[in-house]
Amino acid sequence: MKTRIQELRKQRKITQSELADALDVTRQTIISLESGKYKASLVLAHKIAQYFQLSIEDIFIFEEEENLC
Amino acid sequence: MLGIFCGTDITSNEEYKKYLKKRNYKLAVLFLIGVVTLVVSILAQRLWKVNIPEYILGTYMGFGSGLTAASIVLFLKNRRLLKEEERLRMARVELSDERNRQISTEATKIALMVLIIAMYLVMLIGGLWYPVLMKVLCFLICLFVAAYGVAYKIVSKRI
């Protein structure tokens, strides 16, 4: 799943470690999220959205089959 | 590397400290089991004069030593974690990280599949020469299937 986490993080000049500490996850999880290899849980997605003060849909790019219609 | 039966959804250092203290009690029990295994293996031959092959006694001693040593090392590691807040936080994050927990779950599933297939093959082939091996492994495979069924029912009622 593609995300805008890396783009948003770089805009705000935050390191992966700082983001990981803020979200209470490991740096490897941030790396995997940014590369699209790992899909965040609902709780983590919500925390990321709160951190960047955006909605989940603004950060996580859902594929066509992941949408209702 | 996350342990097979580890992983937790603890979110604060205080909760993690309580979790570690409970783990230390379990480690104390593990230590006792290790010591008892060691003592039994030593006494079995020297005092009780039990006629067991050397390699079996060696296996018991190995398990006993391993359990004893591992429980001491983990106990000391936990005590050190309880004293250092930053290390405690890093260990808590490592354990509760959702990606790490998912990796651990997937790895456990794969390892379990490999174990079941290996047991089945040993049961099939080894059972031709050793019928008792076939019975024991067959029982263990059936136990696994039954335990899975029961656990599935319990967990599906819980969530």
Side-chain angles (χ1 to χ4, degrees):
Chain A
M1 162 175 266
K2 292 189 188 130
T3 71
R4 292 180 55 221
I5 295 173
Q6 189 177 57
E7 176 198 325
L8 293 165
R9 182 176 61 76
K10 285 182 176 176
Q11 269 175 17
R12 289 156 173 77
K13 294 186 174 42
I14 302 164
T15 63
Q16 288 175 334
S17 294
E18 285 166 350
L19 183 57
D21 288 344
L23 299 172
D24 228 21
V25 295
T26 59
R27 192 174 147 257
Q28 288 92 335
T29 299
I30 299 298
I31 292 168
S32 291
L33 282 169
E34 287 183 355
S35 66
K37 277 189 198 170
Y38 175 69
K39 273 188 195 175
S41 67
L42 179 60
V43 171
L44 181 57
H46 175 63
K47 281 185 185 175
I48 293 169
Q50 279 188 314
Y51 182 84
F52 289 116
Q53 293 176 318
L54 294 168
S55 70
I56 290 177
E57 288 82 2
D58 290 335
I59 300 170
F60 295 86
I61 301 161
F62 293 92
E63 309 285 322
E64 220 177 279
E65 61 265 21
E66 287 168 337
N67 291 316
L68 258 182
C69 49
Chain B
M1 189 183 108
L2 210 63
I4 291 177
F5 299 112
C6 299
T8 172
D9 52 4
I10 287 171
T11 52
S12 73
N13 275 6
E14 290 312 311
E15 275 180 53
Y16 190 53
K17 280 181 184 174
K18 288 180 193 168
Y19 170 83
L20 284 180
K21 283 172 187 170
K22 272 190 203 166
R23 256 179 93 170
N24 277 352
Y25 288 126
K26 290 178 189 172
L27 287 171
V29 170
L30 205 66
F31 174 79
L32 280 171
I33 293 170
V35 165
V36 164
T37 310
L38 255 177
V39 165
V40 164
S41 64
I42 293 168
L43 292 179
Q45 206 175 36
R46 292 188 191 177
L47 207 67
W48 302 324
K49 309 284 182 207
V50 176
N51 193 18
I52 297 180
E54 279 294 321
Y55 71 90
I56 300 282
L57 279 176
T59 306
Y60 284 153
M61 285 192 80
F63 270 112
S65 321
L67 281 173
T68 311
S71 56
I72 292 172
V73 166
L74 288 172
F75 183 87
L76 292 173
K77 183 189 160 196
N78 287 345
R79 268 191 58 176
R80 191 179 169 198
L81 282 179
L82 286 166
K83 288 177 186 172
E84 297 175 34
E85 281 297 317
E86 183 53 27
R87 270 186 192 268
L88 183 80
R89 188 195 68 82
M90 283 168 61
R92 175 180 60 79
V93 168
E94 193 73 32
L95 197 67
S96 61
D97 179 73
E98 61 176 57
R99 179 178 161 271
N100 281 353
R101 287 165 68 190
Q102 189 173 329
I103 291 169
S104 182
T105 304
E106 294 295 319
T108 304
K109 275 199 284 196
I110 293 168
L112 203 57
M113 190 53 62
V114 168
L115 182 67
I116 297 293
I117 291 170
M119 280 168 71
Y120 182 76
L121 288 172
V122 170
M123 180 191 85
L124 209 61
I125 297 164
L128 292 171
W129 288 274
Y130 303 102
V132 71
L133 191 66
M134 193 200 79
K135 288 176 189 171
V136 168
L137 289 175
C138 191
F139 169 75
L140 288 174
I141 291 171
C142 292
L143 181 66
F144 165 75
V145 172
Y148 178 83
V150 169
Y152 192 93
K153 286 270 180 206
I154 293 171
V155 174
S156 67
K157 286 201 168 134
R158 216 172 353 126
I159 57 171

